[in-house]
Amino acid sequence: MLLLRRCHRLTPFGPLSVQRYQVAPVVASCTVRLSSSSNEQRFHQHGFSWTRALAGILAGTGVVLAYGLRHHKAEQADVRDQTVQMRSSLPVISQAEVAKHRSLKDGVWVTYKGGVYNITEFVAMHPGGDKIMLAAGGALEPFWALYAVHNQDHVLEILSLYKIGELSAEDLKKQRDVKSSDPYSSDPERHPVLRPNSLKPFTAEPPPEILSDSYITPSVFFFKRNHLPVPQVDPASYRLHVEGLPGGVLTLSLGDLKTRFPKHTVTATLQCAGNRRSEMNKVRQVKGLNWGIAAIGNATWSGAKLRDVLLAAGYGPDVTQWARHVQFEGLDKDITGTAYGASIPIGKAVSEDGDVLLAYEMNGEDIPADHGFPVRVVVPGIVGARNVKWLGKITVSAEESSSHWQQNDYKGFSPGTDWDTVDYKSAPAIQELPVQSAITTPAEGTVIDRSAEMLTVKGYAWSGGGREVIRVDVSLDGGKTWQVAQLKSSDKEEDPQTPPPLGRAWAWKLWEITVPLPPEAQELEIICKAVDNSYNMQPDTFAPIWNLRGVLSNAWHRVKVKISEDNGEE
Amino acid sequence: MLLLRRCHRLTPFGPLSVQRYQVAPVVASCTVRLSSSSNEQRFHQHGFSWTRALAGILAGTGVVLAYGLRHHKAEQADVRDQTVQMRSSLPVISQAEVAKHRSLKDGVWVTYKGGVYNITEFVAMHPGGDKIMLAAGGALEPFWALYAVHNQDHVLEILSLYKIGELSAEDLKKQRDVKSSDPYSSDPERHPVLRPNSLKPFTAEPPPEILSDSYITPSVFFFKRNHLPVPQVDPASYRLHVEGLPGGVLTLSLGDLKTRFPKHTVTATLQCAGNRRSEMNKVRQVKGLNWGIAAIGNATWSGAKLRDVLLAAGYGPDVTQWARHVQFEGLDKDITGTAYGASIPIGKAVSEDGDVLLAYEMNGEDIPADHGFPVRVVVPGIVGARNVKWLGKITVSAEESSSHWQQNDYKGFSPGTDWDTVDYKSAPAIQELPVQSAITTPAEGTVIDRSAEMLTVKGYAWSGGGREVIRVDVSLDGGKTWQVAQLKSSDKEEDPQTPPPLGRAWAWKLWEITVPLPPEAQELEIICKAVDNSYNMQPDTFAPIWNLRGVLSNAWHRVKVKISEDNGEE
């Protein structure tokens, strides 16, 4: 708090330039913040509110887009290095001393590029939760290499406020001698048509019109949503461990999975909890990847039934007495060895009709690296985040996964809940998703020639929990009148489209409607909304479903197009 | 058509008085319509559109409110009798001749109070569907006694257009000698606080504030929704027949049900598909009972599990190959002996977790007559209409119930679908209902004294399919800002409220929030909206979910109240 007060005292003197670094050493510890001047005024006007704003940048663990900023990184790097390497008159502290401060009781100290920081007070404000404690007593650099979201000026501004000393030159040299490696360097190549939302971890979606071109989304175009670097898994040495059951640990090789259990194939749509977040962002900025409408895809998945594997591992009537959840851990791990984790309710996992797969094929081929090679769990009807990739461990438990992604992230809150008031325990982890639909074509802003006379609108519709989409209503006049679109469950128009068994409609419907261009209109506001077989409907607008993480963004999709009167006649 | 043309010719002369009856006998057959002059202009302006308007009045089988009109009945009765008994110069026709006309091919003739009517052309327009054919070749009176909805002037207007003759005096006398009895005469007494929507069949809801006063709705206040007269069932001779299974018909007495099968108790909310229809009516008139927000209630139900009874009747793995539905028939029958019927998917019926009961107790006592004495099926999470009362027969089948209520009524359609374009087969029968909530207090128009300072808002929230309500958002400013209400699963505030098993949240949540009166506001628009654990939300407004039958009316509930500045100081 001393440092903060010092910073506040400077405000009457107006913005400080970098030149002041030499003048007042105490000021130097504040100048990292000041070197990024655009946020300065806001900072002084609102006092601590900047920490809340920052929550947005940090939100979750590596969930925020650094993509738009990375173009500026190179030019800013020199200034930043200057800044952080500036030696102050603060005390010199040894790594041994830093290492003693690894708890809230003893204080939480970290180092970054030769500076020592006491971040004890920040721990509670860290949007990534307790993960920050992993860095206590040591260097931040390896963590920030993993969670590239931290590579932003705002984060450095925050950090600077907690500076208490300079790391001894000897210890600094030691740190620099440790070779830093980019944990994302072995990530697979991706198709250039994908539109990345972040590069490390890699998250990307295809152009929306690709989705409605094929009932089955080709794997290469299927949205990617990694939380950590893609692990390199050798299929020959791959082992899946099934734990928590009376029979002890069952360990299965990939061959075991393929030969010991019947192979099932399920066509299932996976959707990211944050799909369409960009539309919610227009109401008020939320924290998370700025997904368009294409963080969703439909694939065929083949593999062993989780139910069969659990039965083989000792699941039985006695287990039902205490088991409530099945936890999954990926082989994708952060620098401390903590794996990506999630869980699903036991009922879904063991139900005959739950169709949960330990999938080793996607669209008839080995699952690609970005989608979980060699094995991912596919939980039809459930949010993408629980469909754990690079599956390494399954644990039957009385408890949900304790992972950050289960406990804090991927939950929905009221529009009135903000980062000050959020109580993560007050909301259940997202499992089944609500009914959803979007228009894949035409795109926003398309100009349609009047002479075309007819307009074809296409899109997708899906609902969670195996609830079948039974209708999609389309409006061309902003919601005043509605027409019913044609639903498709196949690319072949002639297909008889046998309806899926009740409660097991895991795959989306594509839909299409061709309508005459309204003769008078110069602009159309096209809207779609879907209805599932529980007759749940999409909400009309985003503001009332706004939530601080920008998940569950399923209000009507609206696309405006113009009609051009120019017939091209000469 | 001849008659219609004759009527049209009269229009230049303006409204006709009753005195003209004597002048022109041909006119007499039109005057029934004219005696109700308010609709005359519309009739002539829009030609045949009145038949569609009428569909609203007749819709379904006895589903439209006659309640508001019944006060006028007594005074109108004399005029009507005069009208219909007026003998015209039309040919005299014998009952034997009428009886020959019982098909579309031979023509469909009926008699009513001495008149003979050829209604062949009307058959296709009858909103009650094919049921009208039951009356072919005979008298309408006994049917109209059963479906009291027909007792409206508009219906007589329509009928008059099809008059082709007078029944012979001898046959008329015979008809009158048949004692007419009111099939509703043995209906039970009801509590006067109930607000009837129709009397025959009896449908009524309690004042909304009663709902939030008790987590368990007392049976006497539980909404009533009968489709036919309440049958008188002697519990000693009561038999339930279970059919369609390999073992043949299983017949069970009430004693069998109570002693041969374990007794289960489930707390479950039942809601009419038409609950809150009155709000949808404000968008555009729909066809159906004008329910407020209280066609919903929460009760404890005790009885045998349907699953146990089906197993006892021979349900087994072989049956799963072909069985898809379980059909129910009530002991409530129309004049032809056709019972009320409905069906549910087999999966729901036989699931361990489906909790479907053959209930013989409601709130710890014998089920009251209005709620299905001695046995009703209780299908938690499913629309009220499938919770068949006075249960007489259960049939396991590959098909849904063929009843009107399953095939045509109780389905949802697009707002763009009207009575001209509706294809009943295009929509699935409603089973699970979407998420719902409403404000039970304060009531619309309440004036709140500013000196109260605080305002308490209460209501209910529920979702179908066992999906638990996890949050209710309340706004005092028309939806601009939202606060989270406190949810209650018990009347005792101290109750630990163990959450129900996942997917088996059959009972509603009551909710409550106490907030300071906004200092500036003179009027508040209070809104509530609920979220279930699939994160489905209620739609914002009614117009986009409007449907011709006015079912599934679950948009946000809005209540306007005024704040009075008068402190009562002298």
Side-chain angles (χ1 to χ4, degrees), chain A residues 18-22 24-25 27-29 31-32 79-90 113-115 117 163 165-166 176:
Chain A
V18 175
Q19 282 70 32
R20 291 208 185 185
Y21 290 0
Q22 280 77 23
V27 176
S29 64
T31 49
V32 177
V79 178
R80 190 188 293 147
D81 276 359
Q82 266 184 6
T83 311
V84 295
Q85 286 169 30
M86 195 67 55
R87 308 297 286 188
S88 66
S89 66
L90 290 170
K113 297 202 175 176
Y117 302 84
K163 191 166 185 181
E166 305 292 351
R176 287 187 170 159

Side-chain angles (χ1 to χ4, degrees), chain A residues 27-47:
Chain A
V27 176
S29 64
C30 300
T31 49
V32 177
R33 176 182 55 76
L34 300 173
S35 70
S36 162
S37 62
S38 66
N39 288 295
E40 195 173 6
Q41 203 170 7
R42 186 159 54 86
F43 171 80
H44 291 299
Q45 280 174 347
H46 301 293

Side-chain angles (χ1 to χ4, degrees), chain A residues 323-439:
Chain A
R324 294 292 175 272
H325 304 271
V326 177
Q327 303 175 358
F328 306 113
E329 273 189 24
L331 296 168
D332 48 336
K333 293 181 178 170
D334 68 19
I335 201 158
T336 69
T338 304
Y340 181 80
S343 61
I344 61 171
I346 188 87
K348 173 72 179 174
V350 300
S351 160
E352 284 270 21
D353 298 340
D355 290 327
V356 182
L357 295 185
L358 306 180
Y360 40 77
E361 287 179 15
M362 177 181 186
N363 294 340
E365 299 182 334
D366 288 347
I367 292 191
D370 262 331
H371 294 286
F373 180 84
V375 176
R376 93 176 288 178
V377 60
V378 171
V379 195
I382 300 292
V383 63
R386 315 301 172 212
N387 292 250
V388 175
K389 301 191 274 193
W390 315 289
L391 186 66
K393 193 163 83 173
I394 298 171
T395 307
V396 176
S397 174
E399 306 295 334
E400 276 192 310
S401 166
S402 61
S403 89
H404 165 76
W405 297 278
Q406 190 84 16
Q407 295 299 323
N408 301 346
D409 216 352
Y410 297 122
K411 292 187 168 189
F413 296 96
S414 170
T417 299
D418 60 27
W419 290 101
D420 288 335
T421 56
V422 63
D423 170 13
Y424 291 119
K425 297 213 180 305
S426 70
I430 300 170
Q431 297 284 351
E432 294 181 1
L433 286 171
V435 61
Q436 175 69 290
S437 71
I439 298 160

